[in-house]
Amino acid sequence: MLLYKTTFKLFLLLLSTHANAGLTVLTELSPPYQTIENNEVKGITTEIVQAIFKQAQLTPQFKLYPWARSYKLALNNPNSFIYSIGRTPEREDKFIWLVPVAKFKLGFVKLSSRTDIKINTLEDAKKWIIAAQRNDMATQYLERKGFNKANHLILTTDIQNSWQLLLGGKVDLVVDVKSAVPITAKSIQLPSDHLTYEYAIAELEIEGYLAANKNTSPAIITQVEAAIAVVLQSALYQKAYHQ
């Protein structure tokens, strides 16, 4: 029995070592959660995810793309992980859900100069054109609530494109995290009062997960899950997640 257990553990190790060669972790640019510095993926949520893979003794490639591309790659490629992804009904059966790594409070953002835009209910937002990202949880939520591409939504590849449309006067609103608004203003050298977080969408105060492609090696998943159990107890996780 001891020989069997030893052989089985060695087999799992060999499997994970082989799979690790093509291991990829995907995300999008979403300050302060995911950022890019000197061609390296950084950010407060990235720190949690990196700690998990370090604890698991795995060395994946971290890649940052527009959200629609990262989502498609994670959905279609074994041994791929993605963060921070909302766990929505549309996605539940498409990934292996591992652990929450961020909290989001999403809502509508406008240019402060647009004093004509007043939103007190979700229905009020249907008067305006909204830039939203393809395959994004906020987009899926809005579509469930009756927003559509014909009358309300312009779909973009990532949040940066959505912001460009807003700043260029091509749309009236974007959907983003409240904490990202001042960071975005600073990054494009605008006064902090140039943008206004107009309305919080109550049902989009959710957690963002680290998730895996459903065909990812079981040995890899086992290693990552064991690492998560350790990282969950760390000061890093508690600080970064609640931040």
Side-chain angles (χ1 to χ4, degrees):
M1 180 62 71
L2 180 60
L3 178 61
Y4 171 78
K5 289 182 177 179
T6 302
T7 303
F8 184 68
K9 287 181 179 179
L10 179 59
F11 173 68
L12 287 179
L13 179 61
L14 289 171
L15 274 181
S16 66
T17 300
H18 175 71
N20 190 32
L23 200 62
T24 304
V25 181
L26 299 149
T27 192
E28 66 170 336
L29 183 64
S30 182
Y33 302 95
Q34 297 95 237
T35 61
I36 190 82
E37 298 175 24
N38 299 320
N39 295 320
E40 291 187 13
V41 184
K42 302 284 188 180
I44 57 176
T45 304
T46 301
E47 290 179 11
I48 295 176
V49 178
Q50 289 174 334
I52 289 170
F53 284 96
K54 182 177 180 180
Q55 178 66 36
Q57 298 184 350
L58 296 170
T59 54
Q61 284 188 305
F62 278 71
K63 296 186 177 181
L64 187 149
Y65 298 117
W67 178 253
R69 183 178 178 188
S70 284
Y71 182 87
K72 184 177 180 180
L73 289 170
L75 187 64
N76 295 316
N77 292 282
N79 296 337
S80 294
F81 293 77
I82 186 169
Y83 73 100
S84 305
I85 181 170
R87 191 170 184 173
T88 64
E90 294 90 346
R91 297 170 176 170
E92 183 64 33
D93 296 330
K94 295 180 178 179
F95 295 95
I96 300 169
W97 299 94
L98 294 166
V99 65
V101 292
K103 288 182 178 179
F104 298 119
K105 183 181 288 185
L106 291 161
F108 294 115
V109 184
K110 68 175 186 178
L111 298 177
S112 299
S113 60
R114 293 294 304 275
T115 55
D116 56 316
I117 300 177
K118 301 292 183 184
I119 303 175
N120 297 307
T121 68
L122 189 65
E123 285 297 307
D124 289 343
K126 289 183 177 177
K127 301 173 185 176
W128 310 104
I129 303 300
I130 304 159
Q133 295 77 253
R134 293 185 185 89
N135 295 319
D136 185 80
M137 61 185 178
T139 306
Q140 293 169 345
Y141 169 81
L142 292 174
E143 289 175 336
R144 290 199 303 271
K145 294 297 182 178
F147 291 76
N148 58 66
K149 292 189 286 291
N151 300 301
H152 314 108
L153 301 175
I154 292 179
L155 298 187
T156 65
T157 56
D158 59 21
I159 188 62
Q160 282 68 44
N161 285 341
S162 295
W163 276 109
Q164 288 170 4
L165 291 176
L166 180 71
L167 294 169
K170 304 297 184 183
V171 299
D172 304 304
L173 299 165
V174 298
V175 181
D176 205 350
V177 181
K178 185 176 184 180
S179 60
V181 175
I183 294 171
T184 299
K186 183 178 180 180
S187 70
I188 53 181
Q189 300 180 325
L190 289 174
S192 59
D193 61 357
H194 192 84
L195 304 168
T196 298
Y197 186 81
E198 174 69 16
Y199 179 80
I201 304 171
E203 292 182 41
L204 289 181
E205 187 171 346
I206 61 174
E207 295 176 313
Y209 275 72
L210 171 66
N213 177 276
K214 293 195 75 172
N215 294 315
T216 296
S217 161
I220 292 289
I221 296 298
T222 297
Q223 283 179 261
V224 172
E225 288 177 334
I228 287 169
V230 175
V231 173
L232 281 176
Q233 307 305 315
S234 69
L236 168 66
Y237 180 84
Q238 296 301 321
K239 180 181 179 181
Y241 174 71
H242 291 294
Q243 182 175 339

